[in-house]
Amino acid sequence: MEAFFTSKWADCPSGVMRAIRNPWTREIIDTVPECDVETVDLAIGGLRRDNTDSLATITSEQMGEIFSLATESVRARADDLARLITGEQGKPIAEARREVNVTINLLESFGREAFRLGRQFLPLAQEARVGDRFGYTRRRPYGVTALLTPNTFPFLIPAMLVVPALAAGNSIVIKPASQTPFSTLALVKILTESGVPDDSIACLAGPGELTGQAVCRHPLVDQITCYGGLRTIRAIRGASGLVPVQFHHGGMGVCLVAKDGDLDRAAREIVAQAFENAGQTAISTSAIYCDADVYEKLLDRLVAEMAELKVGDPMDEETEIGPLTEAFRAVRAARLAEDLVSGGARCLRGGGVNEGNLIQPTLLADIDPHSRRFYPEDGSREILAPLLGVTRLTSGLDQVAEWLDPRTQMSVSIFSEDLDAAAALAGSLPVFNVHVNGVPTWRDGLIFDPGSSIRLGRRKSRSRVSDLSTHQDIVFHP
């Protein structure tokens, strides 16, 4: 499949191609260009960024019509898109269909709301009204925004970034994860067919250390948004200079189970969420802290729930856990399980054994809450594999607040029948989002703190557009 740049589908001038393999069968799906520095320069140089460009002439109402057309196009191709996602990413086909459906909802929302969004006019701030001066403030696009996306949700996350960037009036260069380029390329094809001007968008495949770095260092890029791991984000920040960067990273989902909690409900909901997308979501529960009085009972229930999970071919409608997108994640998780068991943990299910990209869902008990192997000091608490660790607490759940890292901890779940105690515990936790007697999923609308780099799920259309635009004051002197 070709990349999209300079208003057309094409291979990069170097002719270098990268084969993309199905993580389950290991067969080659197709090839994509490995876009080098020359291709990046051509692509970004081909994006229009002045007041006469074709994107600037599209009204908010017209952009809403484009999003509505894209919605219908995605809906018509939903099954093919789901199979494309599963083929390159490895998630079960049922989950891929949910990803497509959430994307449809996103496009529908922007189709309805686009006329309210984008280049808005606001009253001039009071402190700017000196003497007889008057004026207004407007939101304006950055210009060229670079979007770098992960492989966990290869269709939804690109849509979450591309759609508001277009609504704000930006031209876009998007660099999808090198393992999962086809879903993003398919999204770009749908958007251009629906009316997005060809000279306002480019989609470049390639590795982060080559293509991603070239995009971030390009002098014509005005803003960068990245979803990814901490290592990726540090590399982007190092390459971006003074360009504004908005970055979002995931973390380790944490669950607290009190002695009066509903253990059956806790086990059922934790297992359903922790192993969705084979543990490859930003909020996958990886750590459970449980009161010692009910610790063994909870473990028994977790083992029973995990025994019901069907692991295997992600194209099988009944499969619940497929392969990991990248083989190194399976190797890393297997080594983590082995190291933790060597340090005293008990392996109750799975054993952390990996076969290629597949790792059996693994349950580890007796995790030391101070284990730097399980809880790294640098805050990079994202396992991205179907591995669940459980810690016994003998002196209350409130001590967990001291162990949570607010840099990476997005949400905590609490299972307790004492709602007053649960509310008090929730108030002590340094996180933005707490669920009582339930767990969050990636489809939830979670609280978002714009001052934080943590990504917390879906947000209102207006705030997404605001993130990808800037202010301009127009002041008149009488």
Side-chain angles (χ1 to χ4, degrees), residues 33-66:
E34 191 167 280
C35 298
D36 57 8
V37 175
E38 180 184 358
T39 308
V40 170
D41 191 51
L42 285 171
I44 297 177
L47 295 174
R48 300 294 298 276
R49 59 185 59 76
D50 55 55
N51 290 330
T52 63
D53 68 23
S54 51
L55 190 61
T57 63
I58 295 178
T59 66
S60 296
E61 290 80 3
Q62 290 170 330
M63 187 59 74
E65 293 173 3
I66 289 172

Side-chain angles (χ1 to χ4, degrees), residues 280-422:
Q280 299 173 111
T281 77
I283 55 173
S284 296
T285 298
S286 299
I288 302 173
Y289 295 97
C290 182
D291 189 285
D293 289 349
V294 293
Y295 182 74
E296 294 297 337
K297 293 179 181 178
L298 177 65
L299 292 177
D300 290 341
R301 287 165 171 77
L302 289 171
V303 169
E305 289 289 337
M306 291 174 62
E308 299 298 319
L309 295 173
K310 181 175 180 180
V311 181
D313 183 354
M315 287 294 184
D316 187 326
E317 295 287 349
E318 296 184 358
T319 295
E320 296 169 279
I321 298 182
L324 298 178
T325 308
E326 301 175 77
F328 91 90
R329 288 180 182 166
V331 173
R332 182 179 63 187
R335 290 177 178 171
L336 173 60
E338 182 180 348
D339 290 349
L340 291 171
V341 170
S342 297
R346 288 183 289 155
C347 183
L348 303 181
R349 183 83 190 174
V353 177
N354 70 290
E355 300 173 1
N357 289 42
L358 188 69
I359 182 168
Q360 293 296 324
T362 298
L363 178 64
L364 301 173
D366 304 342
I367 301 291
D368 183 346
H370 303 293
S371 169
R372 287 306 176 197
R373 188 70 178 89
F374 197 63
Y375 305 112
E377 287 185 286
D378 65 0
S380 56
R381 302 182 177 190
E382 200 168 24
I383 294 176
L384 296 175
L387 189 150
L388 193 57
V390 191
T391 296
R392 181 199 309 263
L393 294 184
T394 57
S395 55
L397 300 178
D398 53 341
Q399 60 189 307
V400 174
E402 302 175 8
W403 302 333
L404 299 179
D405 187 340
R407 296 172 298 173
T408 59
Q409 196 63 55
M410 293 180 294
S411 63
V412 173
S413 298
I414 301 172
F415 283 90
S416 172
E417 295 301 296
D418 186 339
L419 298 186
D420 290 335

Side-chain angles (χ1 to χ4, degrees), residues 196-209:
V196 171
D198 290 345
D199 62 358
S200 65
I201 191 167
C203 185
L204 305 177
E209 59 271 18

Side-chain angles (χ1 to χ4, degrees), residues 113-255:
E113 298 291 326
F115 72 95
R116 308 179 202 268
L117 307 173
R119 288 147 277 192
Q120 301 165 348
F121 292 84
L122 307 168
L124 189 66
Q126 185 65 44
E127 57 268 27
R129 301 176 191 174
V130 179
D132 294 332
R133 297 177 188 176
F134 64 95
Y136 57 87
T137 298
R138 72 177 186 128
R139 296 208 68 87
R140 57 173 295 169
Y142 277 105
V144 174
T145 184
L147 310 175
L148 296 94
T149 59
N151 58 35
T152 50
F153 294 89
F155 192 67
L156 173 62
I157 290 180
M160 289 168 60
L161 299 183
V162 168
V163 172
L166 289 172
N170 295 289
S171 292
I172 295 164
V173 55
I174 184 167
K175 208 294 286 184
S178 56
Q179 305 84 9
T180 56
F182 299 126
S183 298
T184 305
L185 289 165
L187 174 67
V188 170
K189 184 175 179 62
I190 288 170
L191 289 171
T192 54
E193 290 175 347
S194 299
V196 171
D198 290 345
D199 62 358
S200 65
I201 191 167
C203 185
L204 305 177
E209 59 271 18
L210 173 64
T211 314
Q213 284 285 306
V215 168
C216 294
R217 294 181 185 278
H218 199 281
L220 296 182
V221 168
D222 300 299
Q223 191 270 348
I224 300 169
T225 298
C226 171
Y227 276 43
L230 289 178
R231 181 177 299 177
T232 299
I233 289 167
R234 291 185 182 114
I236 290 171
R237 293 184 71 182
S240 60
L242 297 178
V243 175
V245 178
Q246 181 184 107
F247 55 92
H248 309 266
H249 59 76
M252 174 185 287
V254 169
C255 184

